Amino acid sequence: MTSQIFPSDVQQSLDLVGIFVFALSGGLLAVRKNMDIFGICVLAEVTALGGGVMRDLVIGATPVAAFTNLGYFLTPLVAGLVVFFLHPEVERINRAVQTLDALGLGLFCVTGTAKAHDYGLGAVSAVALGMVTAAGGGVMRDVLAGEIPALLRWDREIYAVPALVGAGLVALLIALDSLTAATGTAAALTAFVLRMLALKYGWRAPRAWHRNGSRTSEE
């Protein structure tokens, strides 16, 4: 299968690392929103698994992987407990969490696109689901926390764009019959580097302009 880019044990290990880091970001937002331990664990689970669940439901891969692999379900709970007990320490290493989050973004946009292709989707749809796999959990997290999703806010560094670039590269590699562990890793690293550059230099997507040449005002 195309989606089996890496050896199964390696891919599962990478998945669990990505899930854990995504869950940390969800748990931290729950703490900032003054949620209790249940809310922390819910946001951790949703952030870590939401994108993959949406992808699997769209392509008909049911029961979804998040509920057939116990490790996928338990890992966010562990991350939620880590945040509950150690959130000041986790906040202090937020830069490292953002770096690992960017790695997870790169990994999941690649594997999500490849899995969508395996289930018969065309290039455009597979790329869209690759982006959803990588960023969908964050959207669900923000909605549940009562915030505008970060990837829709003009004042946040680009997040979905790196995922789309990585997913697009995977679709191109599949079309060229060139998707391997090495090329898949290169696509994931491309998304990772773009995200890190966006964080470093504050890259944001352009906003709409009025006809007089000024940007639309912030509400």
Side-chain angles (χ1 to χ4, degrees):
M1 294 177 68
T2 304
S3 57
Q4 196 63 48
I5 302 171
F6 308 103
S8 58
D9 56 340
V10 173
Q11 184 149 337
Q12 175 149 339
S13 297
L14 293 172
D15 284 345
L16 291 176
V17 171
I19 286 170
F20 184 83
V21 176
F22 279 8
L24 287 180
S25 71
L28 286 173
L29 180 58
V31 170
R32 297 183 195 117
K33 291 291 184 176
N34 202 30
M35 295 183 184
D36 60 17
I37 187 169
F38 182 76
I40 291 170
C41 289
V42 167
L43 280 199
E45 287 280 355
V46 165
T47 308
L49 303 177
V53 168
M54 285 193 287
R55 176 205 61 216
D56 287 353
L57 289 175
V58 169
I59 63 179
T62 55
V64 298
F67 296 102
T68 57
N69 187 317
L70 191 59
Y72 288 175
F73 190 80
L74 293 180
T75 297
L77 293 180
V78 173
L81 292 174
V82 169
V83 171
F84 179 77
F85 289 107
L86 301 172
H87 62 88
E89 289 76 10
V90 178
E91 286 279 14
R92 280 198 288 271
I93 60 168
N94 189 52
R95 185 64 180 180
V97 172
Q98 286 183 324
T99 299
L100 292 172
D101 180 271
L103 282 170
L105 177 82
L107 171 67
F108 290 150
C109 74
V110 169
T111 57
T113 303
K115 186 169 184 177
H117 171 267
D118 280 347
Y119 277 79
L121 271 65
V124 174
S125 298
V127 168
L129 281 183
M131 187 271 289
V132 166
T133 305
V139 172
M140 296 173 68
R141 171 201 65 205
D142 293 343
V143 170
L144 288 175
E147 294 196 347
I148 298 173
L151 62 83
L152 300 180
R153 293 178 54 174
W154 71 269
D155 59 339
R156 297 291 180 87
E157 295 84 1
I158 55 173
Y159 194 87
V161 172
L164 283 171
V165 170
L169 288 174
V170 173
L172 178 61
L173 290 167
I174 291 173
L176 297 174
D177 197 24
S178 299
L179 183 60
T180 64
T183 58
T185 299
L189 288 176
T190 299
F192 166 73
V193 169
L194 284 175
R195 173 59 178 163
M196 293 306 297
L197 289 173
L199 288 171
K200 180 177 177 62
Y201 296 108
W203 290 351
R204 298 170 183 171
R207 289 183 290 154
W209 290 72
H210 284 310
R211 290 180 179 174
N212 62 8
S214 63
R215 291 191 184 277
T216 55
S217 60
E218 183 182 359
E219 296 294 328

